[in-house]
């Protein structure tokens, strides 16, 4: 009589899937793009010419560097949790937790947006009662929860089908638009009276949003039998996404009447006076065919939001799961289903939170999420530089792993652009976004202290390499928390000087230009100045006391061979270069 195998939970209990490069490409397409929806808001904000410029330049200075950084880390550390694991390996438990917290909480915040958008699109096709609206939301969440509970392979299969439908639809838009070229698509370059700074400021945050999400695929790397397909998929997905943005937008701007660029909107073409990608089909094809094409494109918009929700449910559900596996979150989150090998508690919890949040006004929540995202894109490049020192390129080459070409000098480009652009975006997004985002950012250290003391952290499994200080935190955490406070305080204190000039003296923004704090922006800027100064002083005191009483453990000499084996022990069928 055979003995029944005990149930394994945590990362070790996940089922591995034979996912091909194409599956990774289409999951990435859904995570980052799922069509060009969203660009409609950039056109009237930045101008037609500036929009096309940003869509063409950002793949070079933003998407390519970030996707390459993710590809390099995914090749050498293809572990469940992605960016969290890379930052933890580079800078330790505290900073790893912050990164995992930012990435996971941002997914929890935004996933409800996609469900609410589907409800909004469907209501344009048919009237819905409140009960019907709730039934639609529950149905959508339930369907894709079931898909995710079946496993990552099924998520990839659904993503492939939905991606192909979306790509075909936008190809049709591009072809119809370009074949009906009748106006200059980049004229005017910017709205009348705009300076170059105004144009960039009006479009940069949307451009960042449209080209972000490449790192999310790494959250599921531990479930891929051959993780070297992830760097390959990144190299294909990035230009595919850029083309999906540029060509349909160019086709729309060149085929619609001059001056119509001011009326572009995400609601455009769907029974409204606004202009959108559906308008390109309805106006240029005309008659019943054009009307039918407009409705078909509304269905594509619904498919797009479903595709994004499906993949972010997969990616986001792994965040707290991996933190719990390192004893940095409650242990019930490490539960893995016996037959399918998926983190079902993480999937179900994200689905429940999504349903709750999709009933809400997202304005304040999304303003918090933007800062989480930009903070992640600042720490990721810094981690890549540190990992280059800890895991030398020469050792990686011996294993045929993907490495960004060009040596250390190339890292100035690959790491410098994301950091500079992220900081700039933090400062042009508005006082409301900076204030709410920094408050949300400070939730990270608070959550870390609570979970570290309540769950034990890495010291439970490796006390020798993760010793505790007198407060029950990791040794050196006083210094790290102090450094965090100084950074957050500096962003608030010095940022408010810039914002007073950029928004008030230079831009003459009014209450209508803000999403939150509309009528009390001067008071918020004063709070940033006072709060920032307090955080800087508090952080500096913690930092210097920590240096004397709680100095971080010096980096020990790393066993490179053992570390690489630890992350590369997954079953493989080929190397990156095969």
């Amino acid at each position: 009589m055979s003995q029944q195998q005990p149930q394994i939970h945590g990362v070790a209990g996940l089922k591995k899937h034979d996912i091909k490069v194409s599956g990774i490409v289409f999951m990435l397409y859904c995570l980052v793009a799922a069509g060009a929806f969203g660009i409609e808001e950039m056109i009237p904000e930045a101008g037609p010419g500036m929009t096309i410029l940003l869509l063409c330049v950002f793949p070079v200075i933003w998407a390519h560097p970030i996707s390459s950084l993710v590809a390099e880390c995914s090749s050498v550390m293809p572990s469940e949790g992605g960016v969290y694991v890379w930052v933890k390996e580079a800078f330790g438990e505290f900073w790893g937790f912050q990164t995992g917290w930012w990435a996971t909480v941002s997914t929890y915040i935004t996933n409800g947006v996609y469900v609410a958008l589907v409800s909004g699109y469907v209501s344009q096709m048919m009237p819905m009662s409140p009960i019907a609206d709730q039934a639609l939301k529950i149905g959508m969440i339930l369907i894709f929860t079931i898909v995710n509970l079946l496993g990552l392979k099924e998520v990839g299969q659904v993503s492939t089908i939905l991606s192909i439908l979306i790509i075909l639809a936008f190809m049709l838009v591009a072809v119809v638009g370009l074949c009906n070229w009748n106006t200059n698509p980049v004229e005017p370059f910017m709205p009348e009276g705009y300076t170059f700074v105004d144009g960039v400021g009006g479009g940069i945050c949307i451009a960042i949003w449209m080209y972000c999400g490449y790192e999310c695929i790494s959250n599921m790397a531990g479930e891929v039998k051959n993780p070297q397909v992830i760097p390959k998929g990144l190299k294909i997905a990035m230009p595919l996404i850029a083309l999906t943005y540029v060509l349909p937008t160019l086709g729309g701007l060149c085929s619609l009447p001059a001056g119509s660029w001011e009326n572009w909107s995400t609601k455009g073409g769907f029974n409204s006076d606004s202009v959108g990608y559906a308008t390109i089909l309805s106006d240029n094809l005309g008659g019943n065919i054009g009307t039918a094409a407009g409705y078909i494109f509304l269905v594509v918009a619904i498919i797009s939001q479903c595709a994004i929700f499906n993949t972010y449910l997969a990616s986001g559900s792994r965040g707290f799961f991996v933190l719990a596996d390192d004893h940095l979150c409650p242990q019930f989150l490490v539960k893995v289903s016996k037959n399918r090998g998926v983190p079902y508690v993480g999937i179900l919890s994200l689905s429940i939170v999504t349903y709750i949040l999709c009933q809400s006004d997202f304005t304040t929540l999304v303003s918090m999420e933007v800062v989480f995202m930009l903070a992640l894109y600042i720490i990721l490049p810094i981690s890549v530089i540190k990992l280059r020192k800890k895991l030398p390129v020469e050792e990686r080459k011996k294993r045929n792993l993907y490495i960004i070409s060009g040596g250390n000098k190339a890292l100035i480009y690959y790491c410098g652009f994301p950091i500079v652009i992220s900081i700039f975006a933090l400062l042009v997004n508005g006082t409301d976004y900076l204030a709410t985002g920094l408050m949300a950012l400070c939730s990270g250290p608070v959550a870390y202290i609570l979970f570290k003391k309540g769950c034990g952290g890495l010291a439970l499994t490796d006390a020798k390499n993760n010793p505790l200080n007198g407060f029950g935190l990791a040794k050196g955490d006083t210094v790290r928390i102090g450094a965090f406070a100084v950074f957050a305080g500096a962003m608030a204190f010095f940022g408010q000087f810039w914002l007073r000039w950029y928004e008030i003296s230079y831009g003459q923004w009014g209450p209508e230009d803000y999403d939150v704090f509309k009528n009390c922006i001067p008071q918020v800027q004063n709070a940033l100045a006072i709060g920032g100064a307090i955080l800087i002083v508090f952080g500096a005191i913690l930092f210097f006391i920590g240096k004397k009483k709680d100095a971080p453990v010096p980096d020990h000499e790393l066993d490179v061979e053992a570390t690489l084996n630890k992350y590369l022990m997954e079953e493989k069928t080929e190397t990156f270069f095969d």
Side-chain angles (χ1 to χ4, degrees), residues 306-561:
C306 290
I308 298 171
F309 176 72
N310 178 49
T311 47
Y312 270 99
L313 185 56
S315 176
S317 61
R318 271 64 176 176
F320 289 140
F321 167 77
V322 176
L323 288 171
D325 199 50
D326 279 344
H327 302 282
L328 288 169
C329 270
Q331 284 300 288
F332 73 88
L333 289 166
V334 303
K335 295 289 184 180
V336 171
S337 61
K338 187 173 182 180
N339 295 326
R340 290 286 176 172
V342 298
Y344 69 91
V345 175
I347 293 169
L348 292 173
S349 65
L350 180 51
S351 296
I352 292 168
V353 172
T354 296
Y355 177 70
I356 294 169
L357 291 183
C358 74
Q359 318 295 329
S360 312
D361 175 19
F362 294 97
T363 303
T364 303
L365 290 174
V366 171
S367 66
M368 295 178 182
E369 188 271 341
V370 168
V371 175
F372 281 153
M373 178 185 70
L374 294 173
L376 188 148
Y377 289 132
I378 291 172
I379 201 168
L380 170 61
I382 300 170
S383 300
V384 171
I385 295 170
K386 182 66 179 283
L387 289 174
R388 280 275 185 107
K389 296 178 180 178
K390 297 187 80 169
L391 300 171
V393 168
E394 293 73 22
E395 294 297 326
R396 304 185 197 189
K397 287 180 178 178
K398 293 176 184 177
R399 296 170 182 260
N400 284 335
L401 302 178
Y402 173 77
I403 302 158
I404 295 172
S405 59
N408 289 333
K409 290 182 179 178
L411 288 184
I412 298 172
Y413 158 65
Y414 285 98
C415 297
F417 271 114
I419 293 172
V420 171
I421 291 171
S422 295
I423 293 173
F424 181 73
L426 278 171
L427 296 175
V428 299
N429 220 11
T431 297
D432 48 350
Y433 278 77
L434 182 64
T436 53
L438 286 175
M439 286 189 288
L441 210 62
C442 290
S443 68
V446 175
Y448 171 76
I449 292 170
L450 293 174
F451 288 134
K452 174 69 175 174
K453 292 183 72 66
C455 304
L458 296 176
L460 283 183
T461 52
D462 187 5
K464 181 181 177 182
N465 290 318
N466 300 279
L468 300 178
N469 62 17
F471 302 104
L473 303 177
K475 191 165 178 56
D477 274 348
T478 309
V479 173
R480 299 181 190 101
I481 294 171
F484 180 97
V486 169
F487 173 77
M491 284 300 300
F493 183 76
F494 293 108
Q496 56 90 23
F497 286 112
W498 157 267
L499 290 167
R500 289 178 196 273
W501 173 81
Y502 177 68
E503 294 176 359
I504 299 173
S505 301
Y506 173 76
Q508 297 181 343
W509 290 21
E512 69 281 357
D513 294 310
Y514 299 94
D515 291 325
V516 290
F517 307 132
K518 292 178 180 290
N519 296 309
C520 54
I521 291 299
Q523 292 87 339
V524 173
Q525 291 173 344
N526 290 337
L528 284 172
I530 297 169
I534 292 171
L535 271 178
I536 291 171
V537 173
F538 171 73
I541 292 171
L542 268 187
F543 184 87
F544 288 112
I545 289 176
K547 278 288 187 180
K548 292 184 177 180
K549 304 289 186 180
D550 183 29
V553 177
D555 285 345
H556 58 276
E557 188 173 342
L558 193 68
D559 186 335
V560 176
E561 187 73 17

Side-chain angles (χ1 to χ4, degrees), residues 69-115:
L69 295 173
V70 173
E72 177 167 309
C73 289
S74 296
S75 185
V76 71
M77 290 184 179
S79 184
E80 197 79 358
V83 184
Y84 157 71
V85 174
W86 309 334
V87 176
K88 179 185 70 173
E89 192 66 45
F91 297 113
E93 191 174 12
F94 173 80
W95 290 110
F97 180 89
Q98 300 310 306
T99 307
W101 180 260
W102 300 335
T104 306
V105 172
S106 66
T107 303
Y108 272 71
I109 288 173
T110 56
N111 240 23
V113 174
Y114 312 123
V115 178

Side-chain angles (χ1 to χ4, degrees), residues 137-181:
K137 291 175 179 177
I138 293 171
M140 175 182 170
I141 293 171
L142 186 61
I143 288 169
F144 291 106
T145 298
I146 292 171
V147 170
N148 273 263
L149 289 173
L150 290 174
L152 189 62
K153 189 169 186 178
E154 286 73 14
V155 172
Q157 289 169 343
V158 171
S159 297
T160 299
I161 295 168
L162 298 183
S163 293
I164 290 171
L165 292 173
I166 295 165
I167 291 169
L168 288 174
F170 276 95
M171 282 177 59
L172 177 62
V173 168
V175 170
V176 170
L178 293 172
C179 288
N180 288 275
W181 189 305

Side-chain angles (χ1 to χ4, degrees), residues 26-33 212-213 216-217 220 308 311-312 315:
F26 290 124
M27 278 197 283
L28 274 164
Y29 185 78
C30 293
L31 286 165
V32 179
C212 75
C216 295
I217 193 70
M220 304 164 281
I308 298 171
T311 47
Y312 270 99
S315 176

